[in-house]
Structures are given as structure tokens and as C-alpha cells.
Amino acid sequence: MRPDTPADHTTEAERLLRTAAQYPEDHEPLILQAAAHLELAGDRARASTLYDDLLAAPEATVDNPHLIKALKAANLWEYGHEAEARAIIDGIRTAGPLNAAPWQVAAETLEAHDELESAHDFFSTALTLLLAPGEEVPYATQSLLTGRHRVRRLMGLEHDVWDELAGELHTAPVPLDELHDPKRLWSLGSSDPVELKAEIARLRAELGTYRTALSRPFPVAVLHWPEQELRELLTAYPELTEEYVDRTTHLARLEASLRDLHATGTPNLGIVTGTVPSYEAFAASESASPSDPGLLPQYATTLAARGRAIPWPPSRTAACWCGSGEAYGGCHGV
């Protein structure tokens, strides 16, 4: 059962913090989840403390510092620390992170506090930075297009190219223009059965979109073994040689699997990186043998659920996921 009351959220936060202490390699996503539950419980000061603790850790141990800062800013603004929140948001813009999540959190924070022009600017800046002309829109970036479309509708602006693209990517039965219609608020107070039925249909469409997002909280991920780790894995468990053959074959199969999944319409794809100690610990927790190939997909899913997945595909100019140091477009993105 999902937490419902403030006490339930506090209990869940405590459980997540205990789990984070047990699994330090996954402490960041677990602590972020705990902080979110504390916010829902109304304990925003303690949530801020958790964000501060993460940010105080050595930089090498923090995977998403800009996301943590954005979440901290959103939380601070909610309980009266607007000036500090604005300063953090300005810092995120200056830093220009190359992943969508911190931009989205910061932009939606501005939007929630009726800073529509600033929110629009944040969404637009993020898309200019993250979306290369002519490239397919990554799954994580689609929400930036949707958020920008919503803000522009509230501002009464005419559609532009990105608004059209947001509409094309929208899959719900109710068009995005209708979902983001500023006049919807009037229909909530209407006594006209036709208007009320239309609003119910729109709410159901939004609920369906949210449910789809919740049903896929982490990417459909494939498992990548760095060269040294793959060598150790096949030396310790030669039974897995048929699964991977060698490094070159492993990388080629991984990219091919992702492209096949993409061709079938599977969204939110990602890559998780395995290590032999982590895999052996997972096998022990499942009371299974690491030499069992059937354990590998479960291990990949578990890593993705812990927030360890890197979205695929990267942009053509970004570093390739394989670790070659080359741009993806000149490596496996060819």
C-alpha cells in the first residue's frame, strides 16, 4: 500500500534511510526518495537537511548534484526560503547541466509560484542545450517540451516549432492543447453537463498519462560490463561466455538490443553498468548462482530501479556509453 497520511510518509522515509545505510552504493536515490516522503509528511526542514547531507559529500560520490540542488530549491521555496531557492535556481542555470531532470524541477518550481516568464525561459534554455536539431527527442527530454507547452498556453503565446513537436509526441487521447487550455478552470465551476463531461474526459487522460509514467519509474535497461569487469566475470564464471563471447560482441549486441527495443516503440531505454562484486552480492541475495544467465536481466532491472541507469540514446556529440572516449555518433551511434 502506498503511503497516504503524513505518518505513513514519515515511516516510509525512515525505512528508506535504513536501506540507504545498508546499501551505501545506492544511497543517493534512496535518500532522495526519503526526502520526498518527508516533504509529503510536512517535515520540509528535515528534507532540506537530507539534501544538504548529500551535497556535502565528496563530489565523486554524488551522481546528480544539480538535481539535488533543484529539489532542495523547490523544497526551500515551499516553506518560506524564497531568496535562497532563487539563488540555487540561478546557479543551476549558470552551471548548465546536461541532463533534463534538474532543469525540469527548477522550471516547474518557478511555474508553481507564477513565475511564468522565468519558467518559460528555463524550459527554453534547457531545450536549446539538450535538444540537437534533427535528432530524436530523448525520453527524459520530452517532459521539458510538455512543460514548456503548458507554460506558453498559460502565457497566451502562439505555437512555435517546439510546441508542435510537443503535440506530436503527446500520446494521450485528449490533445495537448486541450489539456493545457487555461480556460479549463472555468469548466470546474460550470453547471453545464457537456462542459463537465469534457473536463472528466480530460482528467482521465491526464490520469492515464501519470499512471503510465508511474508504471515505468525507471528505464528498460540493458546490462553493460566494462572491459575489466567483463574479463573478471568470464574468468570466474566461464558458463557466461556464450552469453557475452567477448568485449566486441558484447558491445555490438548491447547496441543492437537497444535499437530493437526502440524500433518496437519501447520508451525510456537505458544502460546500467555491472560490477562483479555487485553481481555476486545480488546473486547471493537471490539464493542463485552467478553463473546462471537467467539472473542477468534481473540484475539489470535491480540496478535500474536503484537509479543507476544512463538514458539511451545519448546525443551524437555526447561521449559514447561504451567508455571509448569517442562521441556516440562516431562510435556505436554510427
Side-chain angles (χ1 to χ4, degrees):
M1 180 182 294
R2 289 178 179 169
D4 187 39
T5 67
D8 290 337
H9 284 293
T10 300
T11 299
E12 180 64 10
E14 297 293 353
R15 184 191 69 80
L16 288 164
L17 290 172
R18 289 194 297 272
T19 305
Q22 289 179 300
Y23 301 98
E25 69 277 12
D26 297 324
H27 76 288
E28 184 174 328
L30 291 168
I31 289 176
L32 289 180
Q33 291 179 52
H37 281 288
L38 290 174
E39 290 186 34
L40 292 170
D43 196 351
R44 292 189 174 276
R46 188 179 175 201
S48 282
T49 299
L50 291 183
Y51 295 134
D52 287 338
D53 289 345
L54 282 173
L55 292 170
E59 187 172 343
T61 66
V62 179
D63 293 329
N64 300 292
H66 298 297
L67 174 59
I68 298 169
K69 290 177 182 179
L71 292 168
K72 178 185 175 182
N75 181 52
L76 285 170
W77 203 326
E78 288 298 324
Y79 76 110
H81 298 273
E82 178 182 338
E84 186 177 352
R86 286 182 181 275
I88 293 172
I89 289 173
D90 288 343
I92 292 170
R93 181 190 173 101
T94 300
L98 296 178
N99 56 314
W103 290 102
Q104 181 176 348
V105 172
E108 290 183 348
T109 299
L110 292 165
E111 179 189 354
H113 293 278
D114 295 323
E115 302 278 349
L116 296 184
E117 290 187 6
S118 296
H120 177 266
D121 181 58
F122 235 83
F123 278 125
S124 299
T125 301
L127 287 167
T128 301
L129 183 66
L130 301 176
L131 194 57
E135 285 194 349
E136 184 174 353
V137 182
Y139 183 86
T141 307
Q142 292 179 19
S143 58
L144 293 175
L145 285 167
T146 301
R148 182 178 181 274
H149 181 284
R150 180 180 61 249
V151 168
R152 288 175 63 82
R153 289 284 278 146
L154 290 170
M155 296 173 71
L157 300 176
E158 295 293 329
H159 274 189
D160 63 7
V161 174
W162 277 339
D163 289 326
E164 297 294 342
L165 182 56
E168 293 172 9
L169 294 172
H170 180 67
T171 57
V174 178
L176 201 58
D177 274 346
E178 191 172 339
L179 287 177
H180 292 167
D181 185 353
K183 297 178 181 178
R184 284 181 61 189
L185 292 176
W186 291 100
S187 67
L188 295 176
S190 173
S191 58
D192 185 338
V194 175
E195 289 186 359
L196 291 173
K197 286 181 179 179
E199 180 58 22
I200 289 171
R202 287 190 288 262
L203 290 170
R204 283 176 173 166
E206 284 187 303
L207 182 60
T209 301
Y210 293 140
R211 282 176 172 167
T212 298
L214 287 171
S215 70
R216 196 182 298 282
F218 48 82
V220 174
V222 295
L223 182 58
H224 167 231
W225 295 94
E227 185 173 6
Q228 180 62 31
E229 295 292 337
L230 182 63
R231 186 181 302 113
E232 291 183 16
L233 179 75
L234 298 183
T235 299
Y237 308 104
E239 298 90 343
L240 298 178
T241 301
E242 185 176 347
E243 184 75 18
Y244 292 116
V245 184
D246 54 37
R247 170 75 170 165
T248 301
T249 304
H250 168 48
L251 298 181
R253 286 179 176 176
L254 192 155
E255 178 75 18
S257 295
L258 288 165
R259 295 192 181 200
D260 288 345
L261 287 167
H262 183 267
T264 63
T266 304
N268 202 15
L269 298 172
I271 298 172
V272 290
T273 299
T275 67
V276 174
S278 170
Y279 178 57
E280 291 174 335
F282 174 75
S285 71
E286 295 292 314
S287 299
S289 169
S291 62
D292 179 5
L295 198 63
L296 296 167
Q298 299 176 47
Y299 176 54
T301 299
T302 299
L303 291 178
R306 293 174 179 172
R308 315 304 289 184
I310 299 171
W312 181 95
S315 69
R316 296 185 62 79
T317 56
C320 189
W321 53 263
C322 72
S324 65
E326 299 179 27
Y328 176 66
C331 192
H332 284 88
V334 174

